[in-house]
Amino acid sequence: QVQLVESGGGVVQPGGPLRLSCAASGFTLGGSGMHWVRQAPGKGLEWVAYTPYGGNIKYYADSVGGRFTISRDNSINTLYLQVDSLKAEDTGLYYCVKDGGNWELGHWGQGTLVTVSS
Amino acid sequence: QSALTQPASVSGSPGQSITIFCTGTTSDVGVYNYVSWYQQKPGKAPKLMIFGVRNRPSGVSSRFSASKSENTASLTISGLQADDEAHYYCCSYTASNTWVFGGGTKVTVL
């Protein structure tokens, strides 16, 4: 079955970088669109980024404004989110999500927590 | 991209039906049939409940139904059960090739 395991979260100072990883199993990453979604503590869901199965096109939320980069390594079935110039408002749980094929967010990982604090 | 609009909370007694409305614009809900709904319980990842406006994934109870009219989508839970208590989020694909969520609705079973 589909399994997504995120890692790479932690405490980082404002302005710092972080790279989040998502290990995928139970399906072929290269054949699937993939998203990152985040959730600030006690708040709602916010879509962050998407890459279709081809991987060459990437879409981002305006709020992450060129600071985030989604990428994938299909050879090791791993999705990444490079987050740069981190701000306090980037604090939250970051979920890796497999697209369901009809523009829905089909399968979710358990998330990795990013805390931006000095 | 502004968030879709959902009520902060909805409540009902066991066995009753409740409906959650989700209002968007002509750039998202109104123009695409790519509205989905998610259930999130405390400490858990969201779970897909509805996709393509009205379709249930395998394993989701038929007590959950959904529809859309113009810029507003809706999720109805029939025969409300204690286990339905959770936050529910609507989501739509948009004309900007992005996705937008609603603010979330807390469903309380009285």
Side-chain angles (χ1 to χ4, degrees), chain A residues 52-114:
Chain A
Y53 69 87
N56 291 330
I57 303 174
K58 294 149 191 201
Y59 301 104
Y60 300 95
D62 290 344
S63 59
V64 304
R67 299 182 297 117
F68 289 13
T69 302
I70 187 172
S71 63
R72 61 168 82 208
D73 186 339
N74 293 332
S75 68
I76 57 171
N77 253 24
T78 300
L79 180 75
Y80 301 102
L81 185 69
Q82 177 69 38
V83 295
D84 296 319
S85 303
L86 279 162
K87 307 175 183 179
E89 53 263 41
D90 295 320
T91 292
L93 193 59
Y94 284 70
Y95 292 103
C96 167
V97 188
K98 178 183 180 297
D99 191 85
N102 293 284
W103 307 118
E104 78 279 8
L105 290 83
H107 292 88
W108 298 63
Q110 290 304 306
T112 186
L113 183 62
V114 173

Side-chain angles (χ1 to χ4, degrees), chain B residues 23-58:
Chain B
T23 301
T25 69
T26 52
S27 295
D28 39 63
V29 175
V31 69
Y32 296 108
N33 288 324
Y34 298 136
V35 177
S36 50
W37 290 87
Y38 304 85
Q39 177 193 67
Q40 186 178 33
K41 295 184 177 180
K44 300 295 186 182
K47 173 187 174 183
L48 176 67
M49 303 300 284
I50 296 286
F51 67 94
V53 174
R54 64 182 71 250
N55 302 292
R56 285 187 310 274
S58 174

